[in-house]
Amino acid sequence: MKIRILNSAYNDLLVGRLFYENQAENLGEYFINSLLADIDSLVLYGGVHMEVFGFHRLLSKRFPYAI
């Protein structure tokens, strides 16, 4: 499966990283690593998630973000 991250989604990741880094040291890095791991899982499990507005949606395991 080919995965494409839109510019708007990339910007959301950067904003989220800054937000969590301001909450606690290294939490922003943990946020990015966690979301990227969730995104990587789409290579194996993409297309099996619930559809929302015509798109399959994966909820992040650790943070309140949808992919």
Side-chain angles (χ1 to χ4, degrees):
M1 168 175 279
K2 194 175 199 180
I3 298 171
R4 183 178 71 172
I5 300 175
L6 300 176
N7 287 335
S8 58
Y10 181 76
N11 290 336
D12 285 345
L13 288 172
L14 294 178
V15 169
R17 181 181 186 193
L18 289 174
F19 172 80
Y20 285 109
E21 194 61 36
N22 286 328
Q23 305 307 307
E25 187 176 344
N26 295 322
L27 186 57
E29 191 67 27
Y30 180 71
F31 166 78
I32 287 292
N33 290 334
S34 178
L35 269 284
L36 290 178
D38 289 337
I39 291 168
D40 286 344
S41 77
L42 292 175
V43 171
L44 295 174
Y45 302 110
V48 300
H49 303 91
M50 180 177 67
E51 279 192 45
V52 178
F53 301 117
F55 296 96
H56 293 279
R57 180 181 72 181
L58 164 67
L59 297 177
S60 174
K61 292 175 180 55
R62 305 256 186 258
F63 294 92
Y65 276 73
I67 302 162

